[in-house]
Amino acid sequence: MVRRNDQRRAALVDAAIEVLAREGARGLTFRAVDAEAAVPAGTASNYFGSRDDLLTQAGARVYERLQPDEATIARQRAAGRDRETYVELMRELVGRVASFRTGYLALLELRLEATRRPELRKVLTERVRADLDANVAYHEESGLPGDATAVKLLMLALNWLIVEQLTLPDVFTEAERDQLVAAAVERVVAAG
């Protein structure tokens, strides 16, 4: 029987994210999650029916933790509607996502694992699509320059910039990263 203590479950899923980032999908075992969460052996197996269940919940949890808080959303909604503001919003986005290093690395592991696990692929596809749709809707409501295609292109370009920063951090300096974000916004929005 699967247990229902929501705080313990969240702690175990967060521990799974840390294990995924550090050891990869092959290192994700119930025992490794128990050790990371500092709980008695066997705890994770009481909360998750299978390893697939744990992988799926870890994928969903990464996206929950990547969401901006209400104060950030309110500040962004009150910001200007010009290209310079757009650049700053994208720089902030890249910084926020990159600051959750283990979450993003875990997400990369989950994406690779999803190529072999249809249920995980389904969950991640739904989550990424919902995130993309929400970003497009926010953009259209915000009055920022560019269209839905610009949002999608920026998402693709900036995701790889984040991967570069997290996996090979010495390829670009912080100043170069900021310049690349600005150039991506300028070129994608100008092209639209």
Side-chain angles (χ1 to χ4, degrees):
M1 183 159 121
V2 177
R3 299 223 173 145
R4 294 297 321 159
N5 179 328
D6 291 336
Q7 288 180 327
R8 174 66 61 91
R9 178 181 293 279
L12 290 166
V13 174
D14 287 341
I17 290 167
E18 297 300 315
V19 171
L20 278 166
R22 185 178 59 247
E23 299 177 31
R26 288 183 180 224
L28 184 70
T29 63
F30 287 144
R31 183 171 291 153
V33 171
D34 289 339
E36 181 68 29
V39 298
T43 301
S45 64
N46 289 327
Y47 281 83
F48 305 97
S50 66
R51 187 169 172 273
D52 284 345
D53 183 27
L54 181 58
L55 283 164
T56 300
Q57 290 193 38
R61 178 77 170 138
V62 168
Y63 278 97
E64 287 172 20
R65 290 181 57 190
L66 285 173
Q67 295 302 309
D69 60 25
E70 291 299 321
T72 300
I73 293 170
R75 185 176 38 75
Q76 290 173 345
R77 289 192 188 275
R81 302 290 173 241
D82 54 23
R83 198 172 286 158
E84 292 76 28
T85 300
Y86 200 176
V87 168
E88 285 310 310
L89 291 173
M90 293 301 99
R91 284 181 177 148
E92 185 178 297
L93 172 71
V94 168
R96 186 179 73 250
V97 172
S99 70
F100 183 26
R101 183 177 191 274
T102 56
Y104 203 83
L105 292 175
L107 189 56
L108 292 174
E109 288 288 338
L110 288 166
R111 283 176 171 243
L112 291 172
E113 194 66 16
T115 65
R116 297 175 284 277
R117 297 179 180 275
E119 186 59 32
L120 180 58
R121 182 173 50 246
K122 179 178 180 261
V123 167
L124 288 179
T125 298
E126 288 170 0
R127 190 61 200 223
V128 170
R129 188 71 222 188
D131 185 50
L132 177 61
D133 292 345
N135 281 309
V136 168
Y138 172 81
H139 184 85
E140 290 172 344
E141 293 168 11
S142 74
L144 286 165
D147 59 8
T149 300
V151 173
K152 293 172 188 175
L153 287 170
L154 284 171
M155 179 180 147
L156 292 169
L158 298 182
N159 269 327
W160 196 256
L161 181 61
I162 293 166
V163 168
E164 201 72 38
Q165 180 181 346
L166 294 178
T167 60
L168 301 171
D170 298 327
V171 171
F172 297 113
T173 66
E174 189 172 332
E176 286 174 311
R177 183 192 71 203
D178 287 347
Q179 290 170 349
L180 288 167
V181 170
V185 171
E186 291 289 332
R187 292 178 184 188
V188 168
V189 171

